[in-house]
Amino acid sequence: RMASFTTYASVRDQVNAVLALEIMGFAILLAGAFYLLNRKTAVRMALFQRESAELRDLNARLQREIAERERMQQTLAVAEQSLAQSSKLAVLGEMSAAVSHELNQPLAAMKTYLAGARLLLQRNRPDEALTAFHRIDGLIERMGAITRQLKSYASKGAEQLAPVDLAEALTSALSMMEPQLRERQVRINRVLPEGPVTVMGDRVRIEQVMVNLIRNAFDAVKSVASPEIDIILARGETAVLTVRDNGDGIEDLDALFEPFYTTKQPGEGVGLGLAISSGIVTDLGGRLTARNATGGGAVFEMQLPVLAEETRAAE
Ligand code: ADP
């Protein structure tokens, strides 16, 4: 049995060394943990910063876009305003062209009647002059009706429709064109059915369509050796008025009903007659069509719903 003795100090030193080592290890562990934690927060902070920078960027971009959009909206509003203004002007232009187009016919007739009346008065034939004055009176009334109708058209007021006999309307349209038709030798063949052909409509406007169709046919046969115009009225499922001429035919069927399409010389035509006429016929529930006849010349057809006997009787 051996017993060895060491000093208490050396034991304490060893214990201290072990303790110091443990403390050191613990401290290193703590420092490591701190370091890791710190790094994590730093990374997170960097991420936050990057995200907030991106957000700031996005915000700035959005603000720029909003400003841009507001500017565009202002420009658009200005453009819309000027567009509304110019479309109003265009409508006004079209309207005044239509008014002058529609008033030209009765005005030309009035001029001829007035010249005739003056001659008759000079020759001391007042009774016949009086007849001419009556006709002028009728034309003035007609012009009044056209302007009234255009006014109601502008205010989109409801129209007053009444039964109209197409045969009667045709007679009055032809009598209004009489001075013009007398200018040249044109044979006019009229084919009418027995009895009236009644449609629901506005007499002045229906006569306007007839005048426009006959006037066009009259113009189309200008350079033909033996000019002829057939006007055929028929009553079937619909009321049909056909105006056929032996002129050169229609040049451009597609553009025919477009406003301001004309092949006539300036001063002779403005290209509104057919546009207005087809508008009138469509308003009355009908159709205005055109084609070239196989034997040459143009054929215009106005179809309107025929007013049934019972309806007429009820009225
Ligand atoms: P405008 O008579 O003022 O020219 P319209 O709208 O009445 O206006 O007619 C437009 C065009 O349609 C005419 O310029 C002409 O070229 C053509 N047209 C109309 N009717 C006839 C017809 N009967 N024969 C040949 N062409 C026609």
Side-chain angles (χ1 to χ4, degrees), residues 19-36:
L19 266 177
L21 258 173
E22 274 179 4
I23 287 169
M24 218 165 75
F26 193 65
I28 286 169
L29 219 70
L30 222 62
F34 265 129
Y35 172 74
L36 279 178

Side-chain angles (χ1 to χ4, degrees), residues 242-280:
T242 311
V243 179
R244 189 168 60 199
D245 61 67
N246 63 346
D248 294 332
I250 299 153
E251 260 182 53
D252 186 350
L253 274 165
D254 292 331
L256 197 64
F257 294 102
E258 273 173 24
F260 302 111
Y261 166 75
T262 183
T263 53
K264 294 176 191 169
Q265 299 295 318
E268 282 180 17
V270 282
L272 280 172
L274 287 178
I276 293 174
S277 301
S278 98
I280 291 173

Side-chain angles (χ1 to χ4, degrees), residues 37-282:
L37 262 174
N38 218 9
R39 219 180 116 77
K40 220 165 139 183
T41 358
V43 167
R44 204 175 293 161
M45 280 292 286
L47 212 71
F48 273 149
Q49 266 171 2
R50 213 175 43 237
E51 272 176 5
S52 63
E54 274 171 9
L55 271 175
R56 265 201 306 276
D57 228 36
L58 199 72
N59 217 3
R61 224 172 35 235
L62 271 175
Q63 269 170 353
R64 266 202 308 279
E65 267 175 28
I66 288 169
E68 182 78 5
R69 197 144 300 175
E70 275 171 357
R71 223 180 10 255
M72 261 161 64
Q73 258 168 356
Q74 274 169 3
T75 329
L76 198 70
V78 172
E80 267 173 6
Q81 223 171 26
S82 60
L83 191 72
Q85 201 65 20
S86 54
S87 68
K88 266 190 221 158
L89 281 175
V91 168
L92 208 68
E94 242 173 81
M95 192 83 179
S96 45
V99 172
S100 66
H101 181 272
E102 294 310 299
L103 293 185
N104 250 352
Q105 186 67 41
L107 265 179
M110 251 163 83
K111 205 172 160 204
T112 319
Y113 282 134
L114 260 179
R118 190 184 295 137
L119 250 153
L120 288 166
L121 282 178
Q122 275 168 0
R123 289 180 191 164
N124 215 6
R125 282 153 65 185
D127 283 351
E128 286 169 65
L130 209 64
T131 318
F133 285 131
H134 273 314
R135 288 196 152 184
I136 293 172
D137 211 27
L139 286 171
I140 291 173
E141 218 152 86
R142 190 188 160 78
M143 287 165 77
I146 292 176
T147 47
R148 258 199 312 281
Q149 171 215 113
L150 280 165
K151 257 194 285 180
S152 75
Y153 195 61
S155 57
K156 295 264 176 249
E159 292 172 70
Q160 288 289 315
L161 299 186
V164 179
D165 176 13
L166 289 186
E168 271 178 24
L170 181 62
T171 309
S172 98
L174 280 170
S175 90
M176 199 176 57
M177 295 184 72
E178 206 181 295
Q180 243 172 20
L181 298 177
R182 264 195 265 136
E183 280 171 17
R184 269 190 282 133
Q185 276 281 316
V186 175
R187 196 186 150 89
I188 295 182
N189 307 311
R190 246 195 293 182
V191 182
L192 302 178
E194 272 188 24
V197 183
T198 316
V199 298
M200 203 59 180
D202 172 336
R203 177 149 180 175
V204 174
R205 299 179 83 195
I206 290 175
E207 284 175 21
Q208 259 175 277
V209 178
M210 292 174 171
V211 167
N212 282 330
L213 295 184
I214 300 168
R215 167 102 232 193
N216 277 344
F218 191 70
D219 288 344
V221 294
K222 213 182 227 167
S223 51
V224 173
S226 48
E228 245 179 84
I229 299 173
D230 300 328
I231 305 171
I232 305 151
L233 186 59
R235 185 188 41 222
E237 270 179 34
T238 56
V240 186
L241 178 84
T242 311
V243 179
R244 189 168 60 199
D245 61 67
N246 63 346
D248 294 332
I250 299 153
E251 260 182 53
D252 186 350
L253 274 165
D254 292 331
L256 197 64
F257 294 102
E258 273 173 24
F260 302 111
Y261 166 75
T262 183
T263 53
K264 294 176 191 169
Q265 299 295 318
E268 282 180 17
V270 282
L272 280 172
L274 287 178
I276 293 174
S277 301
S278 98
I280 291 173
V281 179
T282 312

